[in-house]
Amino acid sequence: MTKSARISQSAFDGSRLRVILLLDLYEGAQEQFLDAYEHMRNTVASVPGHISDQLCQSIENPSQWLITSEWESALPFLDWVNSEEHIQIVRPMHSCVRDTRSMRYSVLRETHPEQPLAPGAARANLQRAARVGAGRTRHALTFTVKPGSESKVVDILANYDAPEARINGITRLHRTSLFMHGNRVVRAVEVEGDLLAALCHVAAQPEVQAVEEAINTHLEQDRDLSDADSARVFFTRAALPAMQHVEAGRPEPAGLRRHMLYYPALAGRGLEMARFLAQQDEAAAGAPDGLVYASTVFQRGDIVTRMIDVTGELDLDPLSALGIKGPGKAAELERLLDGAAIGVEGSLDSERTLHRLLAHADMMPVTDRVSADS
């Protein structure tokens, strides 16, 4: 963590990752589950970045199981868990499982009594310092709609009753923001407390279910949310992981405005693009009068977006808005960006091209709702 910034979410710190999956199995499904797990275990053992995994059964309740796995860092795990191979290999498990909960943790401290460390020494691949923040988690989904249906989808997504924000004593839906770029939709939610509880609560609300049903016919990827397997596959493919969230090291100013910027990367450059933008935001967070107060970089494959909360108009400082302030940074973005995908060609050294890129990258806001007690 830097002195000038607060990083509350990060997949780029290089620390080892511990993944915990809690499962509640249907009665009589144990053998089927064990067969499916054995197949998955043999496959994941050869995935780059995977270190180990364990399957455990509760000593109190035989239907409760636990899978833990350790990874060299968050990056290989995210690459694996969002892959088509993973979607297909875990499918046989779904019919065995009544309920599931996934949690992901960076390894911050560990004890090895048989191998004591010298005073002041640190083990490899540990998270360097505890991250801080407001206790809020950001989650995003992205999907595409059929060309020509964009205006209908905007009308559906912009005009529905918001669900109850407070879920329980510790969890509430803080903010929901939706954006569009062409026929691509990005939906970001910000949750205080238990992210899974909030997402399940929102999904169960009649007004939300009505919206999801209304946009079904407009989606490029077919889905049936009444079918658990279809819904699970759709949302797994739509997941847009938050790779890093950083806030400026100064009090939050009043009147912040939220934008989502779209950075389609050249084939195979998505992760590199996300890392570049995250590094830029981290370096810029200490500026006492910077335009960007907070930034979250999301990435899946070659789809990269950056949600920013800013203190003024983007056009007044396009370099900061785009996250490329500093010598050579525009050229670096140009090297990674598929400019043709958003209709921008020409060197980013040109101020005119920068403004054109900013205009194209700035996604159209559909709705931005903040809970009343925030």
Side-chain angles (χ1 to χ4, degrees):
M1 191 170 73
T2 66
K3 295 180 180 179
S4 60
R6 294 190 300 161
I7 301 176
S8 58
Q9 292 174 254
S10 177
F12 293 121
D13 65 1
S15 59
R16 272 181 285 132
L17 182 73
R18 173 72 65 181
V19 180
I20 300 171
L21 187 64
L22 299 172
L23 306 163
D24 186 21
L25 302 190
Y26 289 114
E27 184 178 356
Q30 283 85 354
E31 289 305 317
Q32 181 185 348
F33 171 76
L34 285 171
D35 289 343
Y37 171 77
E38 193 67 17
H39 179 54
M40 184 194 72
R41 183 176 71 89
N42 290 333
T43 301
V44 76
S46 63
V47 174
H50 175 264
I51 297 174
S52 65
D53 62 85
Q54 289 182 322
L55 174 65
C56 309
Q57 186 177 21
S58 170
I59 63 173
E60 298 170 333
N61 185 338
S63 71
Q64 293 179 351
W65 296 67
L66 168 70
I67 299 175
T68 66
S69 62
E70 189 168 0
W71 297 75
E72 291 177 1
S73 72
L75 297 181
F77 168 76
L78 291 172
D79 187 52
W80 159 247
V81 80
N82 291 317
S83 68
E84 279 298 315
E85 183 182 16
H86 179 266
I87 290 174
Q88 299 306 324
I89 205 169
V90 300
R91 251 181 161 163
M93 287 187 173
H94 295 162
S95 61
C96 310
V97 178
R98 180 187 293 110
D99 190 29
T100 182
R101 180 182 178 86
S102 178
M103 295 171 284
R104 304 161 187 182
Y105 295 86
S106 294
V107 180
L108 182 66
R109 298 285 188 272
E110 61 183 0
T111 302
H112 291 269
E114 74 286 0
Q115 297 176 353
L117 289 176
R123 296 192 184 276
N125 302 110
L126 295 183
Q127 183 179 313
R128 293 185 179 181
R131 288 188 283 270
V132 298
R136 295 175 187 158
T137 306
R138 295 189 173 190
H139 174 81
L141 297 171
T142 186
F143 52 86
T144 55
V145 299
K146 297 172 183 176
S149 68
E150 293 88 349
S151 61
K152 295 177 183 177
V153 172
V154 167
D155 186 60
I156 293 169
L157 294 176
N159 297 291
Y160 70 95
D161 294 332
E164 174 61 41
R166 187 162 292 281
I167 289 88
N168 53 43
I170 62 171
T171 299
R172 67 188 179 98
L173 186 61
H174 176 71
R175 190 168 185 173
T176 303
S177 308
L178 281 95
F179 303 86
M180 284 193 74
H181 189 286
N183 70 328
R184 177 168 297 282
V185 177
V186 175
R187 173 190 290 159
V189 295
E190 189 171 334
V191 172
E192 185 175 306
D194 188 335
L195 174 63
L196 181 61
L199 296 179
C200 291
H201 166 81
V202 170
Q205 301 308 301
E207 57 269 31
V208 174
Q209 292 175 346
V211 168
E212 298 291 354
E213 182 66 27
I215 66 172
N216 274 348
T217 58
H218 303 299
L219 298 178
E220 286 197 313
Q221 179 191 341
D222 291 335
R223 70 178 185 184
D224 178 4
L225 296 185
S226 66
D227 178 78
D229 185 61
S230 176
R232 187 180 290 108
V233 169
F234 176 84
F235 287 114
T236 299
R237 288 175 175 157
L240 190 59
M243 305 302 286
Q244 179 170 288
H245 175 71
V246 60
E247 295 183 9
R250 62 181 190 273
E252 180 175 333
L256 287 173
R257 304 176 185 180
R258 174 158 291 184
H259 295 260
M260 182 77 81
L261 302 182
Y262 177 48
Y263 302 79
L266 290 170
R269 299 282 181 85
L271 181 59
E272 192 177 353
M273 170 79 80
R275 189 191 296 273
F276 166 73
L277 293 171
Q279 290 171 343
Q280 285 294 102
D281 283 329
E282 183 178 351
D289 55 353
L291 174 75
V292 178
Y293 173 76
S295 172
T296 308
V297 176
F298 300 93
Q299 180 253 334
R300 182 191 182 93
D302 296 325
I303 300 168
V304 183
T305 65
R306 178 168 159 263
M307 189 164 69
I308 54 175
D309 297 326
V310 299
T311 57
E313 297 293 338
L314 299 187
D315 279 345
L316 297 179
D317 192 350
L319 289 172
S320 290
L322 288 165
I324 54 175
K325 203 155 190 174
K329 300 306 179 182
E332 181 70 4
L333 178 62
E334 186 179 341
R335 182 181 69 84
L336 300 170
L337 186 72
D338 184 0
I342 50 177
V344 177
E345 297 179 358
S347 172
L348 296 187
D349 289 335
S350 161
E351 185 173 345
R352 181 179 178 183
T353 304
L354 275 175
H355 282 277
R356 188 184 302 125
L357 172 59
L358 182 59
H360 280 276
D362 193 13
M363 300 184 74
M364 179 182 72
V366 176
T367 183
D368 186 27
R369 297 178 173 179
V370 181
S371 64
D373 57 347
S374 296

